[in-house]
Amino acid sequence: PDSLGVPVNDIEMNFFRAYVSPEAEYNVNRWNIKFSVPMSYTPYFYKDRLQDNHDNRYKSLISPRLFVQYQFSSKLNMSVSAGVSQREINEQNFYSSLIMRNYQNLYMGFVNYDSDKSKSLSINLNYKLPLQSLFFNTYLSRSWNESNLIVSRRFIENYILNSYKAANTQLTSWMGGGRISKGFGFLHGMLSLSTDFISFRSALLQNEVLSNYRSDVLNWSLKFNMRPVNWFGMNYEFNYQTNTMNFSDIDLKSTSTNFSQRLKCNINIIKSWVIRLQGEHYNNSLSDNRHKQLFLADISTAFSFKKGVELSLNVRNIFNQKTYAYTTYSALVQMNKQYELRSRNIWLSVFFHL
């Protein structure tokens, strides 16, 4: 739509980068210490032919990082890392006219050579008992980011105009998680449980109004596989996710919870005959109080005859489900998505192996 801005760009961006990363490492007894200092030098040559604008800049970045690990024993170690970094500029944002990336979102670039700055601190713990097939690790990290740009979003008629404005912006985040797995020899299988959490605070402009927000995402999953006998194998997986958005300026909170589970079984009682079963269950949020349940199931079987002939039967989408819908959150945007599914289908195949 021409009324929102010029929809034509004619730009050119050239750059080359020299990069070096000196590193020093020190090992003594149970200590391992590494210190690295990545450095880069980048000349940029920008040209906007429509605006008759030429701009050449040179950027030098340095990002020191320290890593310290202590080995308590052959089974347990802990590491701590810290760093200060400057990010390379995003030259993909160097344009002044509009770009339409989908039917609703328009993007306007911003020519800015300032580098985002960040500081981070993390800790990691690992424990293992290989002879007992037991493994465990956990981590926690904290980061502080500073930018001279703030994301701006304007709602104009049926369109969303996304751009940037010059303003100091702070983003802080926490990340944490862990994983534990245990093998079971008598089942020829393994059980694992993992979880990850991220929480960050930031701000953006919506219709020229500053919106401070906090986003929290929690994921955890359970996986189990086994093959207790030669003719039977099973895999099961459960995944859970919850997204929470808090808008501090308008005292509004929105939460989305989704989970899914999958089960696969292979049955091969005799060598020439195999049966495969697969089932999936999805529980997806459509809004704060509405959920969509979806059950999918497939079955297939194949029998191999002598002289290289194989007969197979496949049935997909046994319950004949029609749609798949879910809700996602991204930068204060809630999106409801829905997909049409292929209806139940059955086919019989014959293969000849020469």
Side-chain angles (χ1 to χ4, degrees):
D2 294 346
S3 60
L4 299 181
V6 179
V8 179
N9 287 281
D10 189 1
I11 59 175
E12 180 181 332
M13 166 64 86
N14 296 294
F15 68 91
F16 68 87
R17 180 169 295 134
Y19 181 87
V20 62
S21 182
E23 181 178 295
E25 183 173 359
Y26 180 68
N27 292 284
V28 58
N29 298 326
R30 298 181 177 184
W31 292 93
N32 173 236
I33 302 173
K34 295 180 183 179
F35 181 68
S36 61
V37 190
M39 294 177 285
S40 67
Y41 174 76
T42 310
Y44 294 91
F45 307 95
Y46 172 73
K47 182 187 298 183
D48 187 331
R49 296 184 180 88
L50 293 179
Q51 302 290 333
D52 193 24
N53 180 27
H54 302 260
D55 195 5
N56 301 332
R57 299 288 183 94
Y58 306 88
K59 296 286 294 184
S60 297
L61 303 180
I62 181 171
S63 303
R65 186 168 185 82
L66 177 66
F67 172 84
V68 179
Q69 183 183 68
Y70 184 75
Q71 193 80 31
F72 293 94
S73 67
S74 60
K75 304 178 181 67
L76 178 65
N77 71 72
M78 184 179 70
S79 63
V80 177
S81 61
V84 178
S85 65
Q86 295 174 283
R87 298 180 182 176
E88 302 287 353
I89 65 173
N90 186 1
E91 71 281 353
Q92 298 298 318
N93 289 330
F94 278 47
Y95 57 92
S96 56
S97 301
L98 296 176
I99 292 179
M100 193 171 195
R101 297 186 181 175
N102 56 44
Y103 72 96
Q104 190 178 41
N105 281 275
L106 294 160
Y107 290 81
M108 180 177 290
F110 194 92
V111 179
N112 184 281
Y113 288 91
D114 294 330
S115 299
D116 292 352
K117 301 174 183 178
S118 68
K119 295 178 290 184
S120 64
L121 177 65
S122 64
I123 183 171
N124 192 293
L125 185 69
N126 294 281
Y127 179 77
K128 61 181 179 179
L129 288 174
L131 296 180
Q132 299 180 30
S133 300
L134 177 64
F135 301 89
F136 170 78
N137 76 282
T138 185
Y139 70 94
L140 180 66
S141 67
R142 174 71 163 163
S143 66
W144 301 263
N145 299 275
E146 180 180 352
S147 175
N148 290 314
L149 296 178
I150 188 171
V151 175
S152 174
R153 185 164 58 209
R154 294 167 56 199
F155 299 89
I156 305 173
E157 298 177 357
N158 296 323
Y159 300 95
I160 303 174
L161 179 60
N162 301 273
S163 59
Y164 297 91
K165 290 197 173 182
N168 184 268
T169 307
Q170 306 289 330
L171 187 152
T172 59
S173 68
W174 284 98
M175 292 181 63
R179 182 177 187 272
I180 184 170
S181 63
K182 178 69 173 73
F184 301 94
F186 68 98
L187 291 175
H188 295 92
M190 177 171 286
L191 174 68
S192 66
L193 178 65
S194 62
T195 182
D196 295 283
F197 174 76
I198 179 170
S199 175
F200 66 87
R201 297 174 181 267
S202 190
L204 56 74
L205 290 174
Q206 291 196 121
N207 289 336
E208 305 302 323
V209 177
L210 183 66
S211 296
N212 293 282
Y213 66 94
R214 172 180 168 178
S215 174
D216 299 323
V217 181
L218 171 66
N219 294 282
W220 69 269
S221 67
L222 172 72
K223 297 181 180 180
F224 177 66
N225 65 77
M226 68 173 182
R227 193 175 183 87
V229 291
N230 291 333
W231 54 268
F232 177 78
M234 185 194 79
N235 287 274
Y236 175 76
E237 180 178 344
F238 181 89
N239 294 289
Y240 173 91
Q241 181 182 85
T242 180
N243 295 268
T244 303
M245 298 290 290
N246 287 282
F247 309 85
S248 58
D249 298 306
I250 55 177
D251 192 25
L252 178 65
K253 180 179 179 179
S254 181
T255 301
S256 168
T257 300
N258 306 304
F259 69 81
S260 65
Q261 48 188 335
R262 300 178 179 88
L263 177 66
K264 295 182 180 180
C265 296
N266 290 329
I267 303 171
N268 196 187
I269 298 177
I270 60 175
K271 185 176 180 180
S272 58
W273 184 29
V274 60
I275 301 173
R276 298 182 179 91
L277 307 173
Q278 179 173 321
E280 301 175 45
H281 171 221
Y282 297 90
N283 180 299
N284 297 321
S285 293
L286 300 181
S287 65
D288 286 346
N289 300 312
R290 295 171 53 237
H291 287 76
K292 172 76 172 180
Q293 304 289 337
L294 178 68
F295 295 89
L296 298 174
D298 304 325
I299 183 172
S300 65
T301 182
F303 190 90
S304 299
F305 297 90
K306 294 181 179 180
K307 299 183 179 179
V309 179
E310 181 181 297
L311 181 66
S312 68
L313 174 67
N314 294 271
V315 183
R316 306 294 186 189
N317 194 3
I318 293 175
F319 301 129
N320 202 28
Q321 299 284 5
K322 302 297 184 182
T323 59
Y324 174 62
Y326 61 94
T327 300
T328 60
Y329 291 88
S330 176
L332 302 189
V333 174
Q334 175 181 302
M335 293 178 288
N336 297 317
K337 299 185 179 182
Q338 181 168 301
Y339 298 95
E340 299 296 324
L341 299 178
R342 185 177 180 180
S343 59
R344 181 193 302 118
N345 55 93
I346 305 171
W347 71 91
L348 181 68
S349 305
V350 180
F351 300 92
F352 298 92
H353 303 282
L354 300 179

